Amino acid sequence: MTKKLPLLISALIFAAFFLTVHHFVVNIPSRDDFAATLSFIQMQCVSDVGIFDQITALFIPHNEHYIVLSRLSAALAYNFAGHLNFTALVWYQNIFLLGGYALVLQIIRQQKLPLLVLLLPTTIFFFNLSFWQVTLYYWGGIQYYTVFFFAILSLYFLHVSLNSGSAWFAGGIVAATLAVLSFGNGIVVLPAGFLLLWGQRQRKRLLVWTGFSAIVIMLFWLNFQGPSTVRPAFNPVWMGKLLFTFLGSFLYVNPSVKLWSYANIVLCAVVGLGVLFVWVRLLVNGYLHKNPLLYSLLTLTLLTALLIAFGRFETKAAGGIAPRYMYFSTLIPVFLVLIYADLQKRQNKNLPVKALASSMLLIWGLSYANNIQAIEAFNQENLSTFHQWEQDHRRPLVPPQNHDPRYSEVLLWAMENNVYTPPVRLLATGDEDNK
């Protein structure tokens, strides 16, 4: 493989990803946008309340999550522009995806790994459509992208603080706090950071981090709200199905044929078991102390998988391939490849670049083709639902199992008060090209 080819293919993947965003993003709210965004603007940014109440409202849990940055971003956008545009918010949230990508490339450089060789696999998994629900809709992306951006940033700061002083360590604490406030699973940065500092044998900073973690966990649980729906009794078998499927879900390409989909899920579960085995094998072989940063990054993704499997166990294997969660799992192969490259470097061996790149490109291509169809179907359903609501405000704006009558009320309020204005052509013709 020539040196220019990875750059060219990476550029094409990058362009395809963002051209897809440009084509499919639509300025209409959906799902969590009603409760998490419009309701917050209604209650705190328009109503006659004091600044203290507005700040306090940022920290009210949304179901079982703190989504401070999501709410704050929407509030700033509204106060700056005088209205909400969900297309603009979606483009804004993807900045954090770019930030995470740049951060991983910086980690590759800092680890003295072959950047040009690792550029392509990193690009393939960062810019694919498996997590399209996070990419194209504000109700997911700002939470998912920010939580991992700040979690990875925190671990990176803790790593460089070993040689660069306490300011970087303080930065790690600030970034970890932002991760926790971005989304519920941000809490896993605390044990991941503990593991990293343990691997570096930084005893004093480990004590400080432990104290910080104890305070954050206490505050996290202080106003914590569990799921708003009634759930079945805990089932460890269901949890195991979700966990292993999720750990291998970076191989899920969303086949349209059910038989192939089931086969793909089984493959993900088998590979997920292998991922867990690799993590344990690395721990047993002492890799934590050899490269604490890379091992803690992989641990971050595994702890996230464990948290999701525990919190969503009733969805079984299907929960492991949910597009809204797969951004977390798509980073698993990135960190595995980085660890593999590091091990090969320690043994003075070269990476099997062509084999890795070919298999990853195949996965990317299949995922892209199949998920384009899923995006088109979802957008059409979303547009149809919106048009039906326009005809009758009693119609549900989200799937019936998640519907709340207040969603219609807050959307009607937003439109009447020019907080949100849907595109005119969209309402008239259903033309989703009007952004």
Side-chain angles (χ1 to χ4, degrees):
M1 181 178 291
T2 65
K3 291 184 178 180
K4 292 184 179 179
L5 191 56
L7 286 172
L8 176 61
I9 298 175
S10 295
L12 291 174
I13 289 172
F14 185 89
F17 182 86
F18 284 105
L19 284 173
T20 302
V21 175
H22 172 72
H23 180 74
F24 284 106
V25 64
V26 182
N27 181 24
I28 62 172
S30 62
R31 301 292 175 91
D32 276 7
D33 289 330
F34 302 108
T37 305
L38 290 177
S39 292
F40 174 75
I41 298 297
Q42 181 187 40
M43 289 186 299
Q44 303 302 329
C45 296
V46 177
S47 302
D48 186 19
V49 296
I51 186 66
F52 178 79
D53 291 329
Q54 292 183 17
I55 294 174
T56 301
L58 291 170
F59 296 89
I60 296 174
H62 175 64
N63 295 328
E64 64 268 41
H65 305 292
Y66 290 96
I67 55 170
V68 175
L69 293 183
S70 178
R71 287 170 170 158
L72 180 61
S73 298
L76 291 175
Y78 172 76
N79 282 281
F80 178 77
H83 65 277
L84 287 179
N85 184 304
F86 288 94
T87 295
L89 289 172
V90 166
W91 280 109
Y92 157 75
Q93 73 188 17
N94 276 279
I95 293 174
F96 288 97
L97 174 65
L98 291 173
Y101 176 67
L103 185 55
V104 171
L105 294 183
Q106 171 57 27
I107 289 172
I108 293 172
R109 291 186 59 187
Q110 192 275 332
Q111 293 285 309
K112 295 182 172 58
L113 298 174
L115 178 59
L116 198 59
V117 172
L118 296 173
L119 175 67
L120 183 54
T122 303
T123 304
I124 285 172
F125 285 106
F126 256 94
F127 301 109
N128 73 83
L129 292 185
S130 63
F131 47 91
W132 56 269
Q133 288 182 340
V134 178
T135 301
L136 290 165
Y137 310 100
Y138 189 70
W139 47 268
I142 184 63
Q143 301 160 27
Y144 292 76
Y145 287 160
T146 52
V147 67
F148 254 31
F149 171 77
F150 287 111
I152 295 171
L153 185 64
S154 176
L155 296 177
Y156 177 70
F157 281 167
L158 293 182
H159 172 72
V160 298
S161 72
L162 178 63
N163 301 315
S164 303
S166 58
W168 291 101
F169 181 72
I173 289 178
V174 171
T177 303
L178 291 173
V180 173
L181 294 177
S182 294
F183 200 56
N185 68 319
I187 202 80
V188 301
V189 73
L190 302 176
F194 183 94
L195 202 63
L196 187 150
L197 294 171
W198 178 276
Q200 291 181 336
R201 297 183 173 89
Q202 296 191 55
R203 294 185 178 181
K204 291 183 179 180
R205 290 180 181 177
L206 189 61
L207 288 174
V208 175
W209 184 265
T210 302
F212 160 71
S213 299
I215 294 172
V216 170
I217 291 172
M218 180 182 67
L219 293 175
F220 182 88
W221 286 104
L222 190 63
N223 292 316
F224 179 81
Q225 297 177 4
S228 56
T229 57
V230 179
R231 304 178 62 195
F234 176 72
N235 188 313
V237 176
W238 293 356
M239 177 179 170
K241 289 181 178 180
L242 198 162
L243 175 64
F244 294 125
T245 303
F246 182 84
L247 288 175
S249 63
F250 54 88
L251 293 180
Y252 187 72
V253 297
N254 197 17
S256 56
V257 179
K258 283 189 176 182
L259 178 62
W260 286 111
S261 180
Y262 294 149
N264 200 171
I265 290 173
V266 172
L267 175 63
C268 290
V270 173
V271 172
L273 183 60
V275 170
L276 184 60
F277 173 80
V278 169
W279 182 84
V280 173
R281 180 74 178 270
L282 290 169
L283 181 64
V284 171
N285 290 342
Y287 190 72
L288 170 62
H289 295 292
K290 295 175 183 176
N291 198 323
L293 176 59
L294 294 186
Y295 190 78
S296 65
L297 287 171
L298 180 61
T299 301
L300 181 73
T301 58
L302 265 68
L303 289 174
T304 299
L306 188 64
L307 190 62
I308 291 174
F310 179 77
R312 299 286 185 268
F313 68 88
E314 68 274 14
T315 59
K316 307 175 189 177
I321 55 170
R324 65 187 182 278
Y325 292 138
M326 285 176 64
Y327 170 64
F328 299 134
S329 66
T330 199
L331 298 186
I332 292 175
V334 174
F335 298 141
L336 283 174
V337 169
L338 264 58
I339 290 172
Y340 181 50
D342 181 56
L343 292 172
Q344 293 295 92
K345 185 186 74 171
R346 292 172 186 273
Q347 299 174 11
N348 294 316
K349 295 181 180 180
N350 295 321
L351 283 171
V353 180
K354 291 184 179 180
L356 279 174
S358 299
S359 58
M360 290 176 179
L361 280 172
L362 177 62
I363 294 168
W364 184 90
L366 291 172
S367 177
Y368 189 91
N370 291 328
N371 281 304
I372 282 287
Q373 299 177 39
I375 293 169
E376 289 176 338
F378 184 88
N379 263 7
Q380 189 57 47
E381 179 185 353
N382 203 30
L383 289 167
S384 177
T385 299
F386 195 86
H387 290 310
Q388 291 173 11
W389 176 85
E390 272 290 296
Q391 301 299 319
D392 182 357
H393 294 333
R394 293 171 299 179
R395 288 182 177 271
L397 285 163
V398 297
Q401 64 269 25
N402 303 119
H403 179 61
D404 188 321
R406 290 173 294 181
Y407 293 175
S408 180
E409 295 172 9
V410 73
L411 179 57
L412 190 60
W413 166 85
M415 293 171 64
E416 289 176 344
N417 290 274
N418 297 319
V419 172
Y420 162 72
T421 303
V424 176
R425 281 181 57 205
L426 184 87
L427 291 178
T429 65
D431 180 6
E432 68 178 274
D433 289 333
N434 188 318
K435 308 295 174 70

